[in-house]
mmCIF file of all heavy atoms in Angstrom:
data_model
loop_
_atom_site.group_PDB
_atom_site.id
_atom_site.type_symbol
_atom_site.label_atom_id
_atom_site.label_comp_id
_atom_site.label_asym_id
_atom_site.label_seq_id
_atom_site.Cartn_x
_atom_site.Cartn_y
_atom_site.Cartn_z
ATOM 1 N N ASN A 69 8.536 4.474 5.699
ATOM 2 C CA ASN A 69 8.815 5.817 5.152
ATOM 3 C C ASN A 69 9.975 5.679 4.185
ATOM 4 O O ASN A 69 11.076 5.493 4.628
ATOM 5 C CB ASN A 69 9.080 6.838 6.266
ATOM 6 C CG ASN A 69 9.254 8.280 5.733
ATOM 7 O OD1 ASN A 69 9.253 8.438 4.487
ATOM 8 N ND2 ASN A 69 9.468 9.222 6.616
ATOM 9 N N ILE A 70 9.698 5.906 2.917
ATOM 10 C CA ILE A 70 10.822 5.765 1.984
ATOM 11 C C ILE A 70 11.854 6.831 2.033
ATOM 12 O O ILE A 70 12.904 6.727 1.337
ATOM 13 C CB ILE A 70 10.260 5.470 0.531
ATOM 14 C CG1 ILE A 70 9.454 6.750 0.065
ATOM 15 C CG2 ILE A 70 9.470 4.271 0.432
ATOM 16 C CD1 ILE A 70 9.018 6.700 -1.338
ATOM 17 N N TYR A 71 11.559 7.861 2.658
ATOM 18 C CA TYR A 71 12.536 8.975 2.734
ATOM 19 C C TYR A 71 13.327 8.902 4.082
ATOM 20 O O TYR A 71 14.051 9.778 4.424
ATOM 21 C CB TYR A 71 11.836 10.348 2.622
ATOM 22 C CG TYR A 71 11.598 10.679 1.153
ATOM 23 C CD1 TYR A 71 10.450 10.161 0.505
ATOM 24 C CD2 TYR A 71 12.505 11.338 0.363
ATOM 25 C CE1 TYR A 71 10.213 10.378 -0.787
ATOM 26 C CE2 TYR A 71 12.285 11.579 -0.965
ATOM 27 C CZ TYR A 71 11.210 11.081 -1.594
ATOM 28 O OH TYR A 71 10.932 11.269 -2.882
ATOM 29 N N ASP A 72 13.137 7.777 4.785
ATOM 30 C CA ASP A 72 13.936 7.483 5.961
ATOM 31 C C ASP A 72 15.385 7.279 5.578
ATOM 32 O O ASP A 72 15.712 6.834 4.567
ATOM 33 C CB ASP A 72 13.374 6.254 6.626
ATOM 34 C CG ASP A 72 13.794 6.111 8.047
ATOM 35 O OD1 ASP A 72 14.962 5.725 8.267
ATOM 36 O OD2 ASP A 72 12.989 6.509 8.912
ATOM 37 N N LYS A 73 16.284 7.769 6.493
ATOM 38 C CA LYS A 73 17.723 7.745 6.214
ATOM 39 C C LYS A 73 18.160 6.231 6.059
ATOM 40 O O LYS A 73 19.133 6.026 5.287
ATOM 41 C CB LYS A 73 18.529 8.315 7.366
ATOM 42 C CG LYS A 73 18.441 9.864 7.272
ATOM 43 C CD LYS A 73 19.917 10.438 7.521
ATOM 44 C CE LYS A 73 19.915 11.898 7.088
ATOM 45 N NZ LYS A 73 19.053 12.753 7.962
ATOM 46 N N ALA A 74 17.518 5.326 6.630
ATOM 47 C CA ALA A 74 17.932 3.932 6.618
ATOM 48 C C ALA A 74 17.528 3.222 5.286
ATOM 49 O O ALA A 74 18.006 2.113 5.008
ATOM 50 C CB ALA A 74 17.363 3.121 7.743
ATOM 51 N N VAL A 75 16.728 3.893 4.474
ATOM 52 C CA VAL A 75 16.216 3.190 3.255
ATOM 53 C C VAL A 75 17.310 3.283 2.140
ATOM 54 O O VAL A 75 17.968 4.273 1.884
ATOM 55 C CB VAL A 75 14.957 3.931 2.765
ATOM 56 C CG1 VAL A 75 14.552 3.452 1.346
ATOM 57 C CG2 VAL A 75 13.868 3.566 3.712
ATOM 58 N N ASP A 76 17.552 2.090 1.552
ATOM 59 C CA ASP A 76 18.460 1.999 0.459
ATOM 60 C C ASP A 76 17.719 2.365 -0.767
ATOM 61 O O ASP A 76 16.807 1.669 -1.214
ATOM 62 C CB ASP A 76 19.014 0.611 0.372
ATOM 63 C CG ASP A 76 19.960 0.423 -0.763
ATOM 64 O OD1 ASP A 76 20.048 1.319 -1.607
ATOM 65 O OD2 ASP A 76 20.603 -0.664 -0.881
ATOM 66 N N VAL A 77 18.157 3.447 -1.441
ATOM 67 C CA VAL A 77 17.378 3.947 -2.555
ATOM 68 C C VAL A 77 17.339 2.965 -3.788
ATOM 69 O O VAL A 77 16.282 2.749 -4.384
ATOM 70 C CB VAL A 77 17.929 5.271 -3.097
ATOM 71 C CG1 VAL A 77 17.100 5.798 -4.239
ATOM 72 C CG2 VAL A 77 17.989 6.306 -1.967
ATOM 73 N N THR A 78 18.474 2.260 -3.961
ATOM 74 C CA THR A 78 18.429 1.359 -5.078
ATOM 75 C C THR A 78 17.475 0.151 -4.813
ATOM 76 O O THR A 78 16.818 -0.345 -5.744
ATOM 77 C CB THR A 78 19.900 0.737 -5.434
ATOM 78 O OG1 THR A 78 20.349 0.060 -4.255
ATOM 79 C CG2 THR A 78 20.812 1.839 -5.783
ATOM 80 N N GLU A 79 17.430 -0.291 -3.561
ATOM 81 C CA GLU A 79 16.495 -1.371 -3.155
ATOM 82 C C GLU A 79 15.100 -0.908 -3.430
ATOM 83 O O GLU A 79 14.228 -1.619 -3.918
ATOM 84 C CB GLU A 79 16.659 -1.816 -1.719
ATOM 85 C CG GLU A 79 17.898 -2.624 -1.468
ATOM 86 C CD GLU A 79 17.930 -3.908 -2.339
ATOM 87 O OE1 GLU A 79 16.901 -4.489 -2.521
ATOM 88 O OE2 GLU A 79 19.030 -4.188 -2.899
ATOM 89 N N LEU A 80 14.763 0.338 -3.028
ATOM 90 C CA LEU A 80 13.427 0.952 -3.145
ATOM 91 C C LEU A 80 13.070 0.907 -4.635
ATOM 92 O O LEU A 80 11.977 0.551 -5.035
ATOM 93 C CB LEU A 80 13.458 2.436 -2.702
ATOM 94 C CG LEU A 80 12.176 3.171 -3.037
ATOM 95 C CD1 LEU A 80 11.039 2.750 -2.293
ATOM 96 C CD2 LEU A 80 12.475 4.685 -2.924
ATOM 97 N N ARG A 81 14.098 1.326 -5.471
ATOM 98 C CA ARG A 81 13.725 1.428 -6.912
ATOM 99 C C ARG A 81 13.551 0.064 -7.577
ATOM 100 O O ARG A 81 12.909 -0.083 -8.608
ATOM 101 C CB ARG A 81 14.812 2.241 -7.589
ATOM 102 C CG ARG A 81 14.735 3.688 -7.262
ATOM 103 C CD ARG A 81 15.831 4.520 -7.906
ATOM 104 N NE ARG A 81 15.750 5.896 -7.495
ATOM 105 C CZ ARG A 81 16.824 6.725 -7.417
ATOM 106 N NH1 ARG A 81 18.019 6.200 -7.722
ATOM 107 N NH2 ARG A 81 16.705 7.909 -7.014
ATOM 108 N N LYS A 82 14.176 -0.976 -7.025
ATOM 109 C CA LYS A 82 13.939 -2.280 -7.493
ATOM 110 C C LYS A 82 12.507 -2.721 -7.194
ATOM 111 O O LYS A 82 11.957 -3.539 -7.902
ATOM 112 C CB LYS A 82 14.890 -3.272 -6.890
ATOM 113 C CG LYS A 82 16.290 -3.197 -7.574
ATOM 114 C CD LYS A 82 17.344 -3.945 -6.822
ATOM 115 C CE LYS A 82 18.690 -3.623 -7.379
ATOM 116 N NZ LYS A 82 19.745 -4.066 -6.448
ATOM 117 N N ASN A 83 11.924 -2.151 -6.123
ATOM 118 C CA ASN A 83 10.569 -2.505 -5.781
ATOM 119 C C ASN A 83 9.529 -1.629 -6.474
ATOM 120 O O ASN A 83 8.371 -2.025 -6.602
ATOM 121 C CB ASN A 83 10.465 -2.382 -4.243
ATOM 122 C CG ASN A 83 9.193 -2.989 -3.714
ATOM 123 O OD1 ASN A 83 8.727 -3.992 -4.281
ATOM 124 N ND2 ASN A 83 8.568 -2.440 -2.673
ATOM 125 N N VAL A 84 10.014 -0.442 -6.877
ATOM 126 C CA VAL A 84 9.054 0.473 -7.503
ATOM 127 C C VAL A 84 9.637 0.778 -8.970
ATOM 128 O O VAL A 84 10.494 1.567 -9.052
ATOM 129 C CB VAL A 84 8.978 1.764 -6.694
ATOM 130 C CG1 VAL A 84 7.947 2.712 -7.274
ATOM 131 C CG2 VAL A 84 8.616 1.479 -5.238
ATOM 132 N N GLY A 85 9.030 0.096 -9.905
ATOM 133 C CA GLY A 85 9.523 0.277 -11.302
ATOM 134 C C GLY A 85 8.906 1.515 -11.857
ATOM 135 O O GLY A 85 7.910 2.128 -11.412
ATOM 136 N N MET A 86 9.470 2.032 -12.958
ATOM 137 C CA MET A 86 8.997 3.249 -13.524
ATOM 138 C C MET A 86 9.075 3.153 -15.061
ATOM 139 O O MET A 86 10.003 2.699 -15.646
ATOM 140 C CB MET A 86 9.754 4.459 -13.036
ATOM 141 C CG MET A 86 9.159 5.791 -13.456
ATOM 142 S SD MET A 86 9.721 7.079 -12.476
ATOM 143 C CE MET A 86 8.601 8.354 -13.026
ATOM 144 N N VAL A 87 8.052 3.673 -15.665
ATOM 145 C CA VAL A 87 7.999 3.816 -17.097
ATOM 146 C C VAL A 87 7.888 5.287 -17.449
ATOM 147 O O VAL A 87 7.003 5.949 -16.863
ATOM 148 C CB VAL A 87 6.786 3.031 -17.707
ATOM 149 C CG1 VAL A 87 6.759 3.222 -19.253
ATOM 150 C CG2 VAL A 87 6.952 1.565 -17.403
ATOM 151 N N PHE A 88 8.659 5.780 -18.355
ATOM 152 C CA PHE A 88 8.739 7.297 -18.546
ATOM 153 C C PHE A 88 7.847 7.637 -19.814
ATOM 154 O O PHE A 88 7.319 6.889 -20.585
ATOM 155 C CB PHE A 88 10.130 7.687 -18.794
ATOM 156 C CG PHE A 88 11.071 7.422 -17.579
ATOM 157 C CD1 PHE A 88 11.587 6.137 -17.368
ATOM 158 C CD2 PHE A 88 11.274 8.412 -16.669
ATOM 159 C CE1 PHE A 88 12.339 5.962 -16.228
ATOM 160 C CE2 PHE A 88 12.047 8.210 -15.586
ATOM 161 C CZ PHE A 88 12.599 6.977 -15.344
ATOM 162 N N GLN A 89 7.762 8.961 -19.875
ATOM 163 C CA GLN A 89 6.906 9.595 -20.913
ATOM 164 C C GLN A 89 7.320 9.157 -22.279
ATOM 165 O O GLN A 89 6.537 8.774 -23.099
ATOM 166 C CB GLN A 89 6.934 11.112 -20.758
ATOM 167 C CG GLN A 89 6.006 11.834 -21.620
ATOM 168 C CD GLN A 89 5.921 13.283 -21.289
ATOM 169 O OE1 GLN A 89 6.541 13.728 -20.339
ATOM 170 N NE2 GLN A 89 5.196 14.019 -22.035
ATOM 171 N N LYS A 90 8.633 9.355 -22.560
ATOM 172 C CA LYS A 90 9.192 8.978 -23.854
ATOM 173 C C LYS A 90 9.776 7.606 -23.705
ATOM 174 O O LYS A 90 10.543 7.397 -22.732
ATOM 175 C CB LYS A 90 10.229 9.971 -24.357
ATOM 176 C CG LYS A 90 9.705 11.099 -25.186
ATOM 177 C CD LYS A 90 10.927 11.732 -25.874
ATOM 178 C CE LYS A 90 10.536 13.131 -26.385
ATOM 179 N NZ LYS A 90 11.750 13.918 -26.544
ATOM 180 N N PRO A 91 9.645 6.757 -24.659
ATOM 181 C CA PRO A 91 10.292 5.488 -24.625
ATOM 182 C C PRO A 91 11.827 5.738 -24.550
ATOM 183 O O PRO A 91 12.350 6.503 -25.318
ATOM 184 C CB PRO A 91 9.982 4.790 -25.932
ATOM 185 C CG PRO A 91 8.807 5.526 -26.473
ATOM 186 C CD PRO A 91 8.814 6.893 -25.904
ATOM 187 N N ASN A 92 12.475 5.166 -23.566
ATOM 188 C CA ASN A 92 13.939 5.359 -23.343
ATOM 189 C C ASN A 92 14.721 4.158 -23.262
ATOM 190 O O ASN A 92 15.383 3.884 -22.222
ATOM 191 C CB ASN A 92 14.141 6.279 -22.173
ATOM 192 C CG ASN A 92 13.634 5.801 -20.839
ATOM 193 O OD1 ASN A 92 12.900 4.781 -20.928
ATOM 194 N ND2 ASN A 92 13.995 6.433 -19.752
ATOM 195 N N PRO A 93 14.674 3.239 -24.296
ATOM 196 C CA PRO A 93 15.477 2.111 -24.184
ATOM 197 C C PRO A 93 16.989 2.417 -24.207
ATOM 198 O O PRO A 93 17.328 3.486 -24.705
ATOM 199 C CB PRO A 93 15.088 1.251 -25.469
ATOM 200 C CG PRO A 93 14.551 2.277 -26.386
ATOM 201 C CD PRO A 93 13.937 3.329 -25.542
ATOM 202 N N PHE A 94 17.772 1.481 -23.617
ATOM 203 C CA PHE A 94 19.236 1.726 -23.686
ATOM 204 C C PHE A 94 19.792 1.401 -25.109
ATOM 205 O O PHE A 94 19.135 0.620 -25.841
ATOM 206 C CB PHE A 94 19.924 0.783 -22.707
ATOM 207 C CG PHE A 94 19.509 1.014 -21.225
ATOM 208 C CD1 PHE A 94 18.988 -0.008 -20.523
ATOM 209 C CD2 PHE A 94 19.742 2.309 -20.696
ATOM 210 C CE1 PHE A 94 18.628 0.240 -19.195
ATOM 211 C CE2 PHE A 94 19.391 2.582 -19.381
ATOM 212 C CZ PHE A 94 18.832 1.491 -18.633
ATOM 213 N N PRO A 95 20.943 2.003 -25.466
ATOM 214 C CA PRO A 95 21.488 1.719 -26.728
ATOM 215 C C PRO A 95 22.155 0.315 -26.707
ATOM 216 O O PRO A 95 23.336 0.137 -26.886
ATOM 217 C CB PRO A 95 22.580 2.763 -26.863
ATOM 218 C CG PRO A 95 22.915 3.198 -25.513
ATOM 219 C CD PRO A 95 21.625 2.989 -24.711
ATOM 220 N N LYS A 96 21.321 -0.679 -26.470
ATOM 221 C CA LYS A 96 21.786 -2.054 -26.372
ATOM 222 C C LYS A 96 20.800 -2.961 -27.104
ATOM 223 O O LYS A 96 19.843 -2.398 -27.733
ATOM 224 C CB LYS A 96 21.855 -2.529 -24.899
ATOM 225 C CG LYS A 96 22.787 -1.749 -23.967
ATOM 226 C CD LYS A 96 22.541 -2.245 -22.549
ATOM 227 C CE LYS A 96 23.312 -1.351 -21.532
ATOM 228 N NZ LYS A 96 24.670 -1.665 -21.365
ATOM 229 N N THR A 97 21.032 -4.251 -27.171
ATOM 230 C CA THR A 97 20.097 -5.099 -27.786
ATOM 231 C C THR A 97 18.849 -5.225 -26.976
ATOM 232 O O THR A 97 18.791 -4.797 -25.852
ATOM 233 C CB THR A 97 20.701 -6.529 -27.987
ATOM 234 O OG1 THR A 97 20.942 -7.045 -26.667
ATOM 235 C CG2 THR A 97 21.989 -6.506 -28.694
ATOM 236 N N ILE A 98 17.730 -5.746 -27.657
ATOM 237 C CA ILE A 98 16.504 -5.995 -26.993
ATOM 238 C C ILE A 98 16.741 -6.789 -25.698
ATOM 239 O O ILE A 98 16.280 -6.448 -24.650
ATOM 240 C CB ILE A 98 15.497 -6.544 -27.922
ATOM 241 C CG1 ILE A 98 15.237 -5.578 -29.064
ATOM 242 C CG2 ILE A 98 14.260 -7.036 -27.222
ATOM 243 C CD1 ILE A 98 14.466 -6.157 -30.196
ATOM 244 N N PHE A 99 17.483 -7.859 -25.918
ATOM 245 C CA PHE A 99 17.739 -8.766 -24.818
ATOM 246 C C PHE A 99 18.391 -8.121 -23.591
ATOM 247 O O PHE A 99 17.985 -8.174 -22.514
ATOM 248 C CB PHE A 99 18.646 -9.934 -25.315
ATOM 249 C CG PHE A 99 18.841 -11.041 -24.321
ATOM 250 C CD1 PHE A 99 17.992 -12.157 -24.210
ATOM 251 C CD2 PHE A 99 19.910 -10.967 -23.398
ATOM 252 C CE1 PHE A 99 18.233 -13.134 -23.221
ATOM 253 C CE2 PHE A 99 20.133 -11.978 -22.492
ATOM 254 C CZ PHE A 99 19.250 -13.035 -22.447
ATOM 255 N N GLU A 100 19.442 -7.395 -23.946
ATOM 256 C CA GLU A 100 20.246 -6.727 -22.940
ATOM 257 C C GLU A 100 19.408 -5.634 -22.176
ATOM 258 O O GLU A 100 19.681 -5.308 -21.066
ATOM 259 C CB GLU A 100 21.552 -6.130 -23.443
ATOM 260 C CG GLU A 100 22.642 -7.169 -23.735
ATOM 261 C CD GLU A 100 22.925 -8.041 -22.502
ATOM 262 O OE1 GLU A 100 22.981 -7.408 -21.387
ATOM 263 O OE2 GLU A 100 23.107 -9.223 -22.584
ATOM 264 N N ASN A 101 18.513 -5.004 -22.958
ATOM 265 C CA ASN A 101 17.680 -4.024 -22.225
ATOM 266 C C ASN A 101 16.870 -4.643 -21.118
ATOM 267 O O ASN A 101 16.827 -4.002 -20.021
ATOM 268 C CB ASN A 101 16.713 -3.385 -23.357
ATOM 269 C CG ASN A 101 17.180 -2.062 -23.833
ATOM 270 O OD1 ASN A 101 16.915 -1.066 -23.121
ATOM 271 N ND2 ASN A 101 17.845 -2.100 -24.919
ATOM 272 N N ILE A 102 16.300 -5.764 -21.361
ATOM 273 C CA ILE A 102 15.479 -6.478 -20.314
ATOM 274 C C ILE A 102 16.420 -6.987 -19.289
ATOM 275 O O ILE A 102 16.122 -6.929 -18.068
ATOM 276 C CB ILE A 102 14.730 -7.638 -20.975
ATOM 277 C CG1 ILE A 102 14.018 -7.184 -22.173
ATOM 278 C CG2 ILE A 102 13.748 -8.179 -19.901
ATOM 279 C CD1 ILE A 102 12.783 -6.342 -22.023
ATOM 280 N N ALA A 103 17.616 -7.443 -19.598
ATOM 281 C CA ALA A 103 18.487 -8.130 -18.643
ATOM 282 C C ALA A 103 19.185 -7.122 -17.851
ATOM 283 O O ALA A 103 19.724 -7.509 -16.808
ATOM 284 C CB ALA A 103 19.541 -8.978 -19.437
ATOM 285 N N PHE A 104 19.089 -5.860 -18.194
ATOM 286 C CA PHE A 104 19.848 -4.842 -17.462
ATOM 287 C C PHE A 104 19.660 -4.893 -15.972
ATOM 288 O O PHE A 104 20.549 -4.949 -15.194
ATOM 289 C CB PHE A 104 19.474 -3.394 -17.981
ATOM 290 C CG PHE A 104 20.244 -2.289 -17.356
ATOM 291 C CD1 PHE A 104 21.335 -1.831 -17.899
ATOM 292 C CD2 PHE A 104 19.714 -1.636 -16.217
ATOM 293 C CE1 PHE A 104 22.090 -0.816 -17.303
ATOM 294 C CE2 PHE A 104 20.435 -0.656 -15.608
ATOM 295 C CZ PHE A 104 21.568 -0.209 -16.155
ATOM 296 N N GLY A 105 18.322 -4.867 -15.535
ATOM 297 C CA GLY A 105 17.972 -4.789 -14.172
ATOM 298 C C GLY A 105 18.561 -6.067 -13.402
ATOM 299 O O GLY A 105 19.036 -5.914 -12.267
ATOM 300 N N LEU A 106 18.578 -7.215 -14.063
ATOM 301 C CA LEU A 106 19.018 -8.439 -13.487
ATOM 302 C C LEU A 106 20.573 -8.361 -13.297
ATOM 303 O O LEU A 106 21.104 -8.705 -12.270
ATOM 304 C CB LEU A 106 18.638 -9.608 -14.329
ATOM 305 C CG LEU A 106 17.153 -9.795 -14.551
ATOM 306 C CD1 LEU A 106 16.863 -10.827 -15.585
ATOM 307 C CD2 LEU A 106 16.471 -10.182 -13.201
ATOM 308 N N ARG A 107 21.261 -7.914 -14.337
ATOM 309 C CA ARG A 107 22.703 -7.875 -14.293
ATOM 310 C C ARG A 107 23.121 -6.867 -13.221
ATOM 311 O O ARG A 107 24.112 -7.044 -12.550
ATOM 312 C CB ARG A 107 23.223 -7.429 -15.686
ATOM 313 C CG ARG A 107 22.950 -8.406 -16.774
ATOM 314 C CD ARG A 107 24.037 -8.243 -17.825
ATOM 315 N NE ARG A 107 23.592 -8.954 -19.071
ATOM 316 C CZ ARG A 107 23.722 -10.251 -19.290
ATOM 317 N NH1 ARG A 107 24.241 -10.986 -18.312
ATOM 318 N NH2 ARG A 107 23.280 -10.810 -20.424
ATOM 319 N N VAL A 108 22.367 -5.761 -13.091
ATOM 320 C CA VAL A 108 22.706 -4.767 -12.089
ATOM 321 C C VAL A 108 22.615 -5.358 -10.656
ATOM 322 O O VAL A 108 23.393 -5.077 -9.852
ATOM 323 C CB VAL A 108 21.721 -3.512 -12.234
ATOM 324 C CG1 VAL A 108 21.661 -2.793 -10.986
ATOM 325 C CG2 VAL A 108 22.176 -2.609 -13.375
ATOM 326 N N GLU A 109 21.682 -6.264 -10.592
ATOM 327 C CA GLU A 109 21.570 -6.978 -9.266
ATOM 328 C C GLU A 109 22.615 -7.957 -8.985
ATOM 329 O O GLU A 109 22.726 -8.624 -7.937
ATOM 330 C CB GLU A 109 20.205 -7.682 -9.183
ATOM 331 C CG GLU A 109 19.120 -6.863 -8.429
ATOM 332 C CD GLU A 109 17.860 -7.698 -8.337
ATOM 333 O OE1 GLU A 109 17.072 -7.633 -9.285
ATOM 334 O OE2 GLU A 109 17.756 -8.389 -7.330
ATOM 335 N N GLY A 110 23.451 -8.200 -10.113
ATOM 336 C CA GLY A 110 24.529 -9.162 -9.854
ATOM 337 C C GLY A 110 24.211 -10.570 -10.342
ATOM 338 O O GLY A 110 24.957 -11.503 -10.064
ATOM 339 N N ILE A 111 23.048 -10.727 -11.079
ATOM 340 C CA ILE A 111 22.684 -12.096 -11.491
ATOM 341 C C ILE A 111 23.449 -12.442 -12.790
ATOM 342 O O ILE A 111 23.412 -11.644 -13.736
ATOM 343 C CB ILE A 111 21.225 -12.183 -11.759
ATOM 344 C CG1 ILE A 111 20.456 -11.997 -10.447
ATOM 345 C CG2 ILE A 111 20.779 -13.501 -12.339
ATOM 346 C CD1 ILE A 111 18.975 -11.712 -10.499
ATOM 347 N N ASN A 112 24.089 -13.581 -12.815
ATOM 348 C CA ASN A 112 24.885 -13.936 -14.045
ATOM 349 C C ASN A 112 24.391 -15.230 -14.674
ATOM 350 O O ASN A 112 24.887 -15.655 -15.659
ATOM 351 C CB ASN A 112 26.340 -14.002 -13.770
ATOM 352 C CG ASN A 112 26.982 -12.582 -13.653
ATOM 353 O OD1 ASN A 112 26.624 -11.806 -14.434
ATOM 354 N ND2 ASN A 112 27.828 -12.444 -12.677
ATOM 355 N N ASP A 113 23.479 -15.905 -13.991
ATOM 356 C CA ASP A 113 22.928 -17.197 -14.439
ATOM 357 C C ASP A 113 22.261 -17.001 -15.749
ATOM 358 O O ASP A 113 21.170 -16.454 -15.911
ATOM 359 C CB ASP A 113 21.943 -17.759 -13.401
ATOM 360 C CG ASP A 113 21.452 -19.124 -13.781
ATOM 361 O OD1 ASP A 113 21.629 -19.449 -14.920
ATOM 362 O OD2 ASP A 113 20.925 -19.740 -12.953
ATOM 363 N N LYS A 114 22.879 -17.553 -16.840
ATOM 364 C CA LYS A 114 22.378 -17.296 -18.207
ATOM 365 C C LYS A 114 20.981 -17.800 -18.398
ATOM 366 O O LYS A 114 20.129 -17.113 -18.972
ATOM 367 C CB LYS A 114 23.374 -17.985 -19.201
ATOM 368 C CG LYS A 114 24.344 -17.022 -19.793
ATOM 369 C CD LYS A 114 24.998 -17.697 -20.934
ATOM 370 C CE LYS A 114 26.228 -16.842 -21.408
ATOM 371 N NZ LYS A 114 27.075 -17.543 -22.319
ATOM 372 N N ASN A 115 20.724 -19.061 -17.964
ATOM 373 C CA ASN A 115 19.416 -19.661 -18.162
ATOM 374 C C ASN A 115 18.371 -18.819 -17.508
ATOM 375 O O ASN A 115 17.266 -18.638 -17.973
ATOM 376 C CB ASN A 115 19.438 -21.128 -17.608
ATOM 377 C CG ASN A 115 20.199 -21.989 -18.473
ATOM 378 O OD1 ASN A 115 20.398 -21.679 -19.711
ATOM 379 N ND2 ASN A 115 20.857 -23.033 -17.920
ATOM 380 N N PHE A 116 18.678 -18.440 -16.206
ATOM 381 C CA PHE A 116 17.720 -17.658 -15.460
ATOM 382 C C PHE A 116 17.357 -16.322 -16.130
ATOM 383 O O PHE A 116 16.194 -15.966 -16.255
ATOM 384 C CB PHE A 116 18.297 -17.360 -14.070
ATOM 385 C CG PHE A 116 17.359 -16.560 -13.145
ATOM 386 C CD1 PHE A 116 16.211 -17.152 -12.665
ATOM 387 C CD2 PHE A 116 17.612 -15.302 -12.982
ATOM 388 C CE1 PHE A 116 15.324 -16.482 -11.840
ATOM 389 C CE2 PHE A 116 16.724 -14.504 -12.154
ATOM 390 C CZ PHE A 116 15.605 -15.176 -11.616
ATOM 391 N N ILE A 117 18.471 -15.700 -16.621
ATOM 392 C CA ILE A 117 18.226 -14.357 -17.279
ATOM 393 C C ILE A 117 17.379 -14.619 -18.576
ATOM 394 O O ILE A 117 16.385 -13.928 -18.813
ATOM 395 C CB ILE A 117 19.549 -13.709 -17.666
ATOM 396 C CG1 ILE A 117 20.288 -13.293 -16.383
ATOM 397 C CG2 ILE A 117 19.361 -12.548 -18.576
ATOM 398 C CD1 ILE A 117 21.592 -12.654 -16.628
ATOM 399 N N GLN A 118 17.726 -15.671 -19.311
ATOM 400 C CA GLN A 118 16.978 -15.998 -20.566
ATOM 401 C C GLN A 118 15.513 -16.167 -20.205
ATOM 402 O O GLN A 118 14.626 -15.584 -20.873
ATOM 403 C CB GLN A 118 17.572 -17.324 -21.136
ATOM 404 C CG GLN A 118 16.965 -17.731 -22.407
ATOM 405 C CD GLN A 118 17.686 -17.089 -23.528
ATOM 406 O OE1 GLN A 118 18.961 -17.002 -23.522
ATOM 407 N NE2 GLN A 118 16.972 -16.629 -24.594
#
Side-chain angles (χ1 to χ4, degrees):
Chain A
N69 183 358
I70 58 171
Y71 281 85
D72 198 278
K73 283 225 167 66
V75 168
D76 179 351
V77 182
T78 60
E79 285 305 317
L80 166 75
R81 287 177 184 151
K82 278 170 195 164
N83 191 33
V84 184
M86 187 161 192
V87 177
F88 296 84
Q89 183 170 1
K90 265 197 199 156
N92 57 351
F94 297 121
K96 298 173 189 276
T97 61
I98 294 169
F99 185 91
E100 282 305 320
N101 260 280
I102 312 285
F104 181 90
L106 301 168
R107 295 205 196 279
V108 158
E109 262 185 273
I111 296 168
N112 281 320
D113 182 347
K114 262 190 189 167
N115 290 332
F116 180 74
I117 291 179
Q118 185 85 42

